[in-house]
Amino acid sequence: MGPGVAYSGSLRTSGARFRRHLTNRTFSISHRLHASNQIYTSVRRPDDLHTYQLLSSSSRTPLITLWTASWCATCHVVAPLIRSVIESGVGEAEGGVGYCQVETDAPDIMKDALGTQYMITSIPTLLSFDAGEAQVQAKITDARDMADRGFLEEWIRNEARRHGGRGGGGGSGLGIFGGLFGSWK
């Protein structure tokens, strides 16, 4: 029996006949659409960020990170707005997102220069991770954009749509290897 197949059957001892009835049931291994957004606790150690990246990757949802600092007044304004947008369910219809704040001035984060690894050059910064990879081309560093609820909603929806486009053969129109070997023209 494979996964998703339930067995209900009987064994006849006379004539060595084996009779079985299979009931096909499909079970989803990963949630693709209408997933709930996940909000994680603040990151104060690199291991926490790595754990959230793994959770996000295994659930096929992007991880949205807000890079903040305790001294940053703008961060204290935009962080509650971003959290409320995500808590309101924006992005769930597109597959959901994970969210956490990364406290760049936490001792362990500073010691490991985590911000430098992900090209964080200003605070606050919104950065999305998909399949554990930083999506630096889509990062947001302009605080005016972060304070605009409409802009945030659209950006989160776009990031939530990323979940289905990774891997070979997945709807990108780039062939069986998903563009791994360039164009086949």
Side-chain angles (χ1 to χ4, degrees):
M1 298 298 126
V5 177
Y7 171 74
S8 111
S10 62
L11 180 63
R12 282 184 153 179
T13 55
S14 63
R17 288 190 201 172
F18 182 67
R19 192 174 123 213
R20 62 180 156 161
H21 303 282
L22 294 178
T23 305
N24 288 325
R25 295 182 186 156
T26 56
F27 295 58
S28 176
I29 294 173
S30 65
H31 299 284
R32 295 199 44 126
L33 294 176
H34 303 290
S36 296
N37 292 340
Q38 296 291 319
I39 297 180
Y40 303 111
T41 58
S42 293
V43 172
R44 298 185 55 80
R45 298 176 334 180
D47 289 346
D48 294 339
L49 181 60
H50 182 67
T51 298
Y52 298 156
Q53 287 172 330
L54 291 174
L55 288 170
S56 177
S57 186
S58 69
S59 64
R60 295 187 59 123
T61 57
L63 176 66
I64 294 175
T65 57
L66 175 62
W67 296 71
T68 65
S70 60
W71 49 261
C72 173
T74 306
C75 299
H76 296 295
V77 172
V78 299
L81 175 61
I82 295 167
R83 185 179 178 108
S84 74
V85 168
I86 292 172
E87 284 176 337
S88 73
V90 171
E92 288 180 352
E94 292 81 12
V97 297
Y99 170 75
C100 67
Q101 280 184 237
V102 181
E103 298 178 17
T104 58
D105 56 351
D108 289 341
I109 300 292
M110 289 174 56
K111 179 182 73 169
D112 287 359
L114 199 61
T116 305
Q117 292 176 28
Y118 297 112
M119 294 186 260
I120 304 301
T121 57
S122 65
I123 300 295
T125 294
L126 268 173
L127 177 63
S128 177
F129 290 85
D130 187 35
E133 294 181 17
Q135 304 300 307
V136 293
Q137 75 278 8
K139 78 178 175 181
I140 307 300
T141 58
D142 187 345
R144 290 173 298 209
D145 288 340
M146 288 183 229
D148 180 350
R149 187 175 183 95
F151 175 86
L152 284 174
E153 289 175 355
E154 189 57 33
W155 186 80
I156 291 167
R157 283 186 189 103
N158 284 336
E159 293 306 303
R161 288 183 192 109
R162 287 184 187 274
H163 72 90
R166 65 176 98 130
S172 63
L174 295 173
I176 191 167
F177 297 109
L180 182 62
F181 298 109
S183 175
W184 287 94
K185 293 181 182 179

